[in-house]
Structures are given as C-alpha cells and as structure tokens.
C-alpha cells in the first residue's frame, strides 16, 4: 500500500518483487485478481477433499456407528440411510448403483453380483425409513414385486426400519416371497456389522454372493 502513487504517508520497507506485483495490479487489476483467485483455488483443491470424498467418509463413519450402536440407525434421514447401505454393500464386494432421489424407477439400490461362471445376477433394493407407528404394507410389497419382474431382476429386497404390517406377512404367496424378500432394522444392522468385520482389519475388498444379502430375511 505504501508504494501506491497516491500514498502520502510514511514509507515502509519493500522489495523489488513487491514493486513488480504492484505494477502488474496497476496495469491490469482484473487479470491480477483473476490470477490470485486461480492460485488460491489450486491451493485449496490440493489440500481439501472433494464433496464426494467427504460424503463417502461420512457414510463409512455412519456404518461403523450403527454397527457399534444400532439405535443410531433411527437418527438417520432417509437419504443418508440409502448412502449408508450403498457404502455397506459396496464395501462388502457388490457392484452397487444408488438411484437418484425422486426418479428411482421403483427401487433405491441396484446390486450386481458377478458369478464365477461369468453369469450376472441383479437385485433391487427398496428402502422404507418411516417413523413409527407407520409400517410397510402389501401395496409397497406388490409394487416392488412388479418392478423386479419389469426389470428382469433376479430378486428384490424390501427393507423397512419400522417393520411390516401383519396383513403383508400373512398375504404373501410362496412365489412372490421367493422373488422379493423382507428385511427390517436388524437386517440393516447385520449388514453394517458384516462391513465392520471386513474392514476392522486391512482394507481389502472381498467378493460375496447373494447369500449375505438375503441372510436373515423372510
């Protein structure tokens, strides 16, 4: 500031570089501000993780929190729970796609399992994270059943943290029960704990089949 032409106060010490930078600002202030912002952005990018990395790290912490304290499951928002399940299944070795909110086509997660013989199995997961006393009923089950048939999937899993209505549990046919399984809060907690067991040691990806996905479902 003391090197500005209009400055009339007491001079301060400054080097040759200060004078050169000041000259450039006076000759093209817009360009110099742009360059300063570019340098600052590069520095921030070098030390700060991306939004995706931050969210992935948060999801991992949430999975481990649920594994340790299952009651934390009910403190999550619905979209956060979907991200937690994505991280859990991806970490367990499945290929997972998390659908866009509002345009999910009738399911929240698509899980792909590649068999050793080269075959591919696709499973659709719909997550209902409702507050009690609301419980999932026959309508939600029938809808996912139709989506599984429409998409040609190998099966479906309907997860509900608040449980299921008695009418649904009684009315399912044997055929539809084979196509779409049900899982409540304990199933989600089980998956989180399986994730914790896998990654309690070295971070090594492991391949698993549908057995773990449908274990303890009904």
């Amino acid at each position: 500031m003391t090197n500005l032409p209009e400055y009339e106060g007491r001079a301060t010490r400054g080097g040759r570089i200060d004078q050169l930078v000041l000259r450039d600002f006076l000759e093209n202030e817009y360009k110099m501000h742009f360059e300063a912002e570019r340098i600052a952005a590069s520095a921030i990018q070098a030390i700060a993780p991306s939004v995706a990395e931050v969210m992935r790290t948060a999801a991992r912490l949430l999975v481990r929190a649920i594994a340790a304290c299952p009651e934390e499951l009910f403190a999550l928002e619905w979209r956060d729970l979907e991200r937690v399940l994505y991280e859990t299944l991806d970490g367990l070795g499945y290929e997972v796609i998390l659908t866009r909110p509002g345009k999910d086509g009738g399911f929240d997660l698509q899980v792909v399992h590649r068999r050793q013989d080269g075959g591919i199995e696709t499973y659709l997961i719909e997550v209902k994270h409702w507050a009690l006393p609301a419980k999932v009923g026959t309508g939600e089950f029938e809808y996912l059943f139709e989506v599984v048939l429409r998409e040609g999937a190998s099966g479906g899993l309907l997860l509900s943290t608040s449980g299921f209505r008695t009418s649904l549990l009684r009315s399912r046919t044997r055929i539809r029960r084979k196509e779409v399984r049900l899982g409540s809060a304990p199933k989600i907690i089980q998956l989180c704990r399986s994730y914790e067991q896998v990654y309690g040691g070295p971070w090594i990806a492991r391949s698993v089949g549908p057995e773990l996905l449908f274990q303890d479902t009904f």
Side-chain angles (χ1 to χ4, degrees):
M1 292 297 295
T2 64
N3 282 282
L4 288 171
E6 63 271 19
Y7 183 77
E8 298 178 354
R10 187 179 65 176
T12 58
R13 297 180 62 181
R16 178 173 175 272
I17 298 298
D18 296 328
Q19 296 175 3
L20 291 175
V21 171
L22 176 61
R23 183 200 65 190
D24 288 342
F25 265 101
L26 293 175
E27 291 179 355
N28 194 332
E29 183 175 355
Y30 174 81
K31 179 180 178 181
M32 289 296 289
H33 276 295
F34 178 84
E35 181 66 12
E37 292 175 0
R38 186 191 66 79
I39 294 172
S42 298
I44 292 173
Q45 187 174 10
I47 63 174
S50 66
V51 172
E53 290 171 337
V54 171
M55 295 180 68
R56 189 74 186 266
T57 300
R60 288 170 180 163
L61 292 173
L62 288 172
V63 174
R64 305 188 77 171
I66 293 169
C69 303
E71 63 272 14
E72 296 295 336
L73 170 63
F74 302 98
L76 294 180
E77 297 291 337
W78 64 272
R79 189 59 175 174
D80 292 329
L81 177 55
E82 292 175 7
R83 294 190 180 99
V84 161
L85 286 168
Y86 171 86
E87 173 60 31
T88 301
L89 295 169
D90 179 77
L92 289 172
Y94 296 103
E95 295 180 27
V96 192
I97 298 174
L98 178 62
T99 60
R100 295 175 57 188
K103 296 182 179 180
D104 56 18
F107 57 94
D108 297 313
L109 297 131
Q110 177 178 296
V111 177
V112 176
H113 169 60
R114 299 184 184 275
R115 301 196 306 265
Q116 293 183 350
D117 62 4
I120 297 177
E121 298 173 352
T122 301
Y123 301 95
L124 308 180
I125 301 177
E126 176 69 2
V127 184
K128 301 297 183 184
H129 190 39
W130 296 349
L132 289 170
K135 294 185 178 183
V136 172
T138 304
E140 290 76 22
F141 176 82
E142 294 289 345
Y143 184 70
L144 181 58
F145 176 78
E146 295 296 331
V147 171
V148 168
L149 294 182
R150 182 191 71 205
E151 298 292 329
S154 303
L157 177 59
L158 181 56
L159 295 173
S160 170
T161 56
S162 60
F164 302 92
R165 294 179 184 175
T166 304
S167 58
L168 167 59
L169 301 178
R170 291 175 176 172
S171 64
R172 288 182 302 159
T173 64
R174 181 169 299 179
I175 295 176
R176 296 185 179 185
R177 189 177 305 175
K178 181 180 178 181
E179 298 290 342
V180 177
R181 304 288 292 178
L182 304 179
S184 52
K187 174 58 186 177
I188 298 174
I189 296 166
Q190 177 212 63
L191 288 172
C192 291
R193 286 178 171 170
S194 296
Y195 177 100
E196 178 70 2
Q197 290 174 358
V198 169
Y199 291 110
W203 194 269
I204 302 174
R206 293 165 170 81
S207 178
V208 291
E211 296 80 13
L212 178 59
L213 187 65
F214 292 104
Q215 180 181 348
D216 294 331
T217 60
F218 50 95

